[in-house]
Structure formats: structure tokens, C-alpha cells
Amino acid sequence: MTLLELIAGFARRHWRAYAAAAAMLVGIAVLTVYVPRRVGHVIDGLVAGEVTGGALWREIAILVAMGLVIYVLRVGWRLALFSAAFRLGVELRGQLYARLARQGPPFFHRQRTGDLMARATNDVDAVEMAAGEAFLAAFDGTLTLVLVVAMMTLAVDWRLGLVALLPFPFMAWAFFTISRHVHEAWRASLERFSDLNEHVQETVAAVRTLRALGLEANADREFGQRAQRAADAGFGAQKWESAYEPAVGLTLTAAGALTLGVGGALVWHGEISIGQLTAFTMYLTQLIWPMFAAGWVLSLIERGKAAWARLEPLLRAPLSVADSGGVAAAPAGTLRCERVTFAYPAADGTAAPAERAPALAGIDFELAAGRTLGIVGPTGAGKSTLLALLLRHYEPQAGTLAWGDHALPAYRLSALRGAIAWVPQEPFLFSASIADNIALARADATRADVERVARMADLAADIARLPDGYDTRVGERGVTLSGGQRQRVAIARALLADAPLLLIDDALSAVDTGTEARILAELRRARAGRTAIIVSHRLSAVADADRIMVLKNGRVVEEGTHAALVARDGWYAAQWRYQQLEASLEDV
Ligand code: ADP
């Protein structure tokens, strides 16, 4: 869809607002072209001695009244139109947000946050301006041009009209040339602004790291350079835009000179009256607006086009994981993973290169409802990746994942994800009270529910020490919780969600062994009979699982119960001995 199609479609849906604005503009245009004609008549009347005293005052009163009506109509059309154009901004932002909210991690790996924010603000504004001001300025400008030229040629003198319009093709050529540069300059400017936004976002997010490394001066310099580049690009666009005005001035000066020469001769030969020449000169000044409107419209359209070219791909980007499943019922039953192989897509979003080693290769397992599966293995083995596939953040390239009677893609994403409580390694806290953060998945939870799960997650004592207890604001604009506290908030969230499947991704790595053991015991008690997959680098966390899988380089290298694995004397047994020794040393 092009920008013009977008605007046309929008105008069709909001035709009432556009029609009201257009009707008012027609009123303005008719009144405006009528004024010089009336003034011309009055002057001729004055010269002939026909307009005197009271009649002159009446004429002045009429002109003032027409001026007032024009003023009211001008305010009216702007209100009608801009309220509609704002709606386009709201609609576009809504669509953009909905699209982004449904995209998965592969999409966000390719996009930069600051750039997305720039598109949602700056670029949407530019499209909104094209749909509002540009649309009506184009309409108004054309209307005024046609009426004024008609009055000049028909009501005054067609020869004078033709001569006065001679310099205008030059202006059309100049506008065409300038508008091409304006497009390019706006594109560069919008991109530089995105770049600056991206930099600010990244610097703010990483401010502690920058400070810790003493890199503030570098960051300042980098920011200064990017801000300069953004300013230069913005100035570049303005520079080209400012070329419109001299082109208009030049054209009108030439037209004025021609009018004076040819018009003077016509008056001299008695072919037109002085009043007509005065009216003609006034018409010529009325051409200033359509000319400026043309320049303005062109630059707004070019800016809108450049912005739309950046927005459309986002709105059209296919969802990274299709939500085309029809099964709306919550999944239940055995979880099956058959010969699943998966490699991460390349950073640019293209399919994973064949030579890259897959993150998971030929994974097979079956987990009956109510059982617990432990997944262990060295860092980078593919444990988190397997959970990501279960959540359908990514699709495996080969093999199937199924839950109960259906493969995962057969379920609606909302049904599938609603049935899973996922506790990630680094949970995110929203800027809200700690109680609201815990009750994230269950807005209807009572304070008593929240307190119960907080106790189970061994968080109650920590919360009691916060300034406002459960009402303490946490997250970006509140109290900063430690890594271990965040992890326990996430565990409490998952306990409250009470979903059929619990996925814990090494989510207790930042709490001590004793606390971990207590929380896991609570989890087992509270979730007796529910399915769980526990990923952990501490083997004690999975020792009680019904079954344990050891992953290494994306493959299952050992599996069985804790007792069987310890007896096997492989990676698991060695790690177990090492961690036991470590724990006994900690106790000393
Ligand atoms: P684990 O959870 O066992 O530590 P992961 O599942 O996080 O391991 O990672 C498995 C492999 O996939 C690693 O080699 C890691 O570098 C790679 N990987 C993880 N996430 C991504 C990603 N988003 N894009 C590309 N490669 C990734």
C-alpha cells in the first residue's frame, strides 16, 4: 500500500470530516476571490464619482464582514480536519503496537528498540501531517488557484492572464526538482533521528555499566556526534525545503513585472479600467498562497512518504510465529518431543545457515501429565532453547512438539501460553507495586493470595523490610530488588498463575542453596500432580525429578532418574560429586 492509498482509504472512512472541511474551504475560496472583484468595482465607482460617503462605508463594512466569515471558516476547517488526522495517528499507532505485541523474539532480535520508538512517534507524526495538513492544503491550494486564475482571465482580461502566468512553468520545474531532494533529505533525517533515539535508549539502559567502566566521557562524545549528525540531516532537509520560497518569490516578481508592463499598456489603450488592473494585481498576490501550499504539500508528502516507507514494513512484517492454530481448549495430557532439531536464525532474519551447528539436535522425550522433568547440562547446551520451543517463541526446523492430542502449532497461542507458567532466568519487573507484579497473570487475585505465594517463594520476609510492604513500587521507577529477590517474585508469579505446566529456567540461580531447597519443596507440595520442567545448573534442584535429561551441545547425552545417572558415572555423576563437595565446604 502506498502513502496515498493509505490516506485515501482513511479519508473514505472519515469522509464526513473531510467533506465538512472541504465545504468550508470552498466557502473561503469563493469569498476570497470575490473580494478583489468588489474592491475593483468600488475603485472604478470612486474614479467615476459614483461611490461616495455612506456607500463607501457600507462597502467597507461588507468587506470587514467577509473577512470575519473567512476567519471563522478557516478555524472551522482546521478543527474538522485535524481532529480526523489525529485519529489516523491513533489508528496507526494502535496497529503498530498490536503488531509489535504479537511478534516473537526472532523479530525483536532484528529490530532496535530506539528505532522502533522513533518509528512509532516521529514517523507516525509525519504520516499524520501528510493525511491532515498536506491533504487539505493540496485541496485548498488547487481550488484557490483555479478560482483566481479563472477570475484573472475571465473577469479581467484573458491576454493579461496568459502573460502573467508565463513564469509559472519555471516554478513547477523548480518545485519538482526540489521535492526529489526533499524526499531524500527527509529519509536521511528520519534515519538519523532513529539512530540517535537508539543510542539514547541503549545508553540509559546500560548506564550503570558505563559508569562502572568509567566510560561516561566516551558516551558523551558518541552522543554528541550522533546528535550532530541528526541535526545536520534535519538541517539538510530544511535547507532543501527553504528553496521553495525563493522560487515562489521569483515567479511572482516576474509575474508582477509582466502584469505592470502589459496591464499598464492595456489601461493606456483603454482596454481595461484602473479598477480591473487593481483587482488583477490583488489576484496575483492571492496566488502566493496556492504557490506556498504547493511547496508545503510537496515537502509534507515527501516527508510522509519517507516515513511510510519505514512504517509499512513493520506493519506488514509476517509474525515470527504464526498464530494459525484452531484449538482454543487448554492443552492437557502428555508432552511429547520427537526428533526436534533447531538452529537460531541468522541475525538478519534469514534462515539459519546450514553450516551452523544447531542449538538442539534430535531431541526426544515424553513427559506424562503430572510428572517432573529435570534438564541439566553445561552452559550453552540448549536448555533455555528447548523451553523457548515449548513456549513457541521459535519453531523447530525439524521434528514435532505435541501436547496431548495436538501438535503445539495446532493450539491458539493464547491457549498454549495460558497453560504455561514460565519463570525465566532474568525476570522483568514492571514499574508497579510488588503485589501487582506478583499478581501479573491473575489480576483478580486477593491480597491474601499474593501473600500466600510470597511466603511460598520465601519472599515474605524481604517484602516486610520494604518501605511500603506489598505496596512498595518496584521496577524501573521504584525500589531496585536484588537478582535473587526478582527471581523469587517470578516464582511467586508462577505459583499464583497455577498453570498446568511450569517451566523453570534456572530461576533460582541467584539464591543460596538452602533457600532454593525450601522453595523447591514448597513448589513440589503446591504443585503436586502438575507437570513441571526444571532447568538448573544445580543438580540438587532436579534430583527429585521423575526423570532427568543431560544436554550437551544441543544433544541428549545422558538420561534417567537421579539414582541411575549417579550410578552411570558420566557428566551427571561427576557434577553431582563436585557440587556435593562444594556444598559441604560451604557448610564448614
Ligand atoms: P543454555 O540454556 O543451556 O545455557 P541456550 O539454550 O541459552 O543454552 O543456548 C544454546 C545455544 O544457542 C548457545 O550456543 C547460544 O549461544 C545459542 N543461542 C541462544 N540464544 C540465541 C539467539 N537468540 N540467537 C542465536 N543464538 C542463540
Side-chain angles (χ1 to χ4, degrees):
M1 185 163 49
T2 63
L3 175 72
L4 291 184
E5 283 164 1
L6 170 85
I7 296 176
F10 179 77
R12 227 174 291 133
R13 270 183 290 127
H14 295 277
W15 68 270
R16 279 193 189 84
Y18 278 84
M24 286 188 252
L25 280 171
V26 170
I28 294 167
V30 169
L31 283 176
T32 312
V33 293
Y34 179 65
V35 168
R37 197 177 152 80
R38 191 147 188 131
V39 171
H41 280 308
V42 172
I43 288 178
D44 283 342
L46 281 171
V47 171
E50 288 162 8
V51 176
T52 50
L56 183 61
W57 282 114
R58 207 182 57 240
E59 286 297 333
I60 291 172
I62 289 172
L63 285 176
V64 169
M66 286 200 290
L68 281 176
V69 173
I70 290 176
Y71 172 82
V72 170
L73 289 177
R74 277 197 190 285
V75 173
W77 80 255
R78 281 190 167 77
L79 287 182
L81 182 74
F82 294 152
S83 64
F86 277 128
R87 254 175 277 158
L88 176 65
V90 172
E91 275 180 26
L92 272 181
R93 287 201 176 92
Q95 284 173 16
L96 202 60
Y97 181 81
R99 197 75 191 166
L100 293 184
R102 290 172 65 205
Q103 288 288 7
F107 175 84
F108 291 102
H109 275 301
R110 293 196 302 275
Q111 303 290 339
R112 297 167 305 149
T113 315
D115 177 54
L116 289 179
M117 279 156 58
R119 291 182 199 217
T121 49
N122 220 21
D123 295 59
V124 170
D125 279 348
V127 171
E128 196 180 293
M129 298 262 284
E133 293 168 42
F135 190 92
L136 262 280
F139 179 81
D140 186 26
T142 315
L143 187 70
T144 312
L145 179 75
V146 169
L147 285 175
V148 169
V149 171
M151 293 302 279
M152 282 164 108
T153 49
L154 302 178
V156 182
D157 188 277
W158 66 272
R159 290 161 301 178
L160 188 56
L162 279 185
V163 171
L165 291 178
L166 276 181
F168 282 79
F170 155 75
M171 204 191 66
W173 168 81
F175 273 22
F176 177 72
T177 312
I178 298 167
S179 77
R180 284 210 326 256
H181 291 284
V182 165
H183 178 88
E184 211 28 58
W186 271 120
R187 198 185 52 74
S189 168
L190 291 168
E191 261 166 30
R192 290 275 83 85
F193 182 78
S194 265
D195 186 49
L196 182 65
N197 227 27
E198 169 63 20
H199 181 72
V200 171
Q201 191 268 334
E202 212 168 81
T203 318
V204 171
V207 71
R208 283 193 220 170
T209 313
L210 288 174
R211 254 187 233 141
L213 295 173
L215 291 175
E216 292 104 318
N218 284 14
D220 281 355
R221 208 173 30 252
E222 177 91 354
F223 175 81
Q225 284 166 357
R226 285 175 198 241
Q228 188 61 48
R229 281 203 291 272
D232 287 347
F235 179 63
Q238 298 288 348
K239 211 164 54 188
W240 276 110
E241 274 191 12
S242 64
Y244 285 123
E245 208 174 308
V248 171
L250 219 60
T251 309
L252 284 175
T253 310
L258 287 171
T259 304
L260 211 61
V262 178
L266 288 174
V267 172
W268 184 256
H269 289 106
E271 305 216 1
I272 59 170
S273 67
I274 292 179
Q276 277 178 308
L277 184 59
T278 311
F280 192 91
T281 317
M282 284 178 79
Y283 282 132
L284 209 53
T285 58
Q286 282 189 353
L287 280 182
I288 293 178
W289 161 236
M291 299 303 114
F292 272 117
W296 194 39
V297 167
L298 281 177
S299 81
L300 285 180
I301 295 274
E302 293 307 333
R303 187 173 161 189
K305 272 190 192 161
W308 181 240
R310 285 157 47 81
L311 281 173
E312 209 212 0
L314 282 188
L315 290 168
R316 298 265 158 274
L319 293 182
S320 45
V321 171
D323 187 8
S324 50
V327 182
T334 304
L335 205 58
R336 275 192 314 279
C337 179
E338 285 167 16
R339 292 187 300 284
V340 165
T341 293
F342 170 74
Y344 281 98
D348 59 4
T350 51
E355 71 273 14
R356 177 170 324 155
L360 290 173
I363 305 287
D364 268 310
F365 71 83
E366 225 179 77
L367 182 62
R371 297 301 170 97
T372 300
L373 171 69
I375 304 180
V376 293
T379 311
K383 304 180 294 292
S384 304
T385 306
L386 184 55
L387 300 191
L389 294 187
L390 286 169
L391 285 156
R392 282 197 76 213
H393 287 163
Y394 297 89
E395 293 295 6
Q397 281 92 11
T400 43
L401 282 156
W403 191 349
D405 299 331
H406 305 281
L408 296 191
Y411 293 101
R412 287 221 185 115
L413 269 182
S414 55
L416 176 73
R417 293 186 183 153
I420 303 177
W422 171 51
V423 191
Q425 241 163 11
E426 283 162 20
F428 185 82
L429 295 189
F430 289 89
S431 295
S433 73
I434 191 159
D436 287 346
N437 263 292
I438 292 175
L440 196 61
R442 283 243 337 255
D444 59 333
T446 63
R447 181 53 64 86
D449 292 333
V450 170
E451 288 178 9
R452 179 177 52 82
V453 293
R455 273 196 302 279
M456 288 164 70
D458 209 28
L459 197 60
D462 296 68
I463 295 178
R465 280 195 296 274
L466 291 176
D468 297 318
Y470 281 87
D471 295 316
T472 309
R473 259 182 106 78
V474 292
E476 220 170 296
R477 273 176 289 141
V479 172
T480 308
L481 298 186
S482 73
Q485 287 170 329
R486 280 164 181 267
Q487 290 190 334
R488 280 174 285 150
V489 169
I491 294 274
R493 253 181 211 167
L495 279 166
L496 196 60
D498 204 22
L501 174 62
L502 175 67
L503 302 181
I504 296 193
D505 190 356
D506 215 356
L508 290 168
S509 55
V511 302
D512 61 74
T513 324
T515 313
E516 178 182 57
R518 264 201 315 282
I519 296 173
L520 287 172
E522 279 292 346
L523 269 174
R524 261 194 300 279
R525 196 180 54 72
R527 291 189 51 89
R530 310 291 187 85
T531 320
I533 298 182
I534 301 179
V535 168
S536 177
H537 73 279
R538 268 191 214 133
L539 304 190
S540 55
V542 297
D544 286 326
D546 298 292
R547 175 202 170 104
I548 301 164
M549 258 176 15
V550 179
L551 285 185
K552 220 171 177 179
N553 293 328
R555 292 174 193 277
V556 180
V557 289
E558 294 170 40
E559 63 176 314
T561 58
H562 171 73
L565 287 172
V566 169
R568 255 193 72 162
D569 214 21
W571 182 90
Y572 188 93
Q575 277 293 312
W576 178 254
R577 280 197 299 277
Y578 173 76
Q579 291 186 4
Q580 289 300 103
L581 183 66
E582 204 178 36
S584 62
L585 287 176
E586 268 173 23
D587 292 341
V588 175

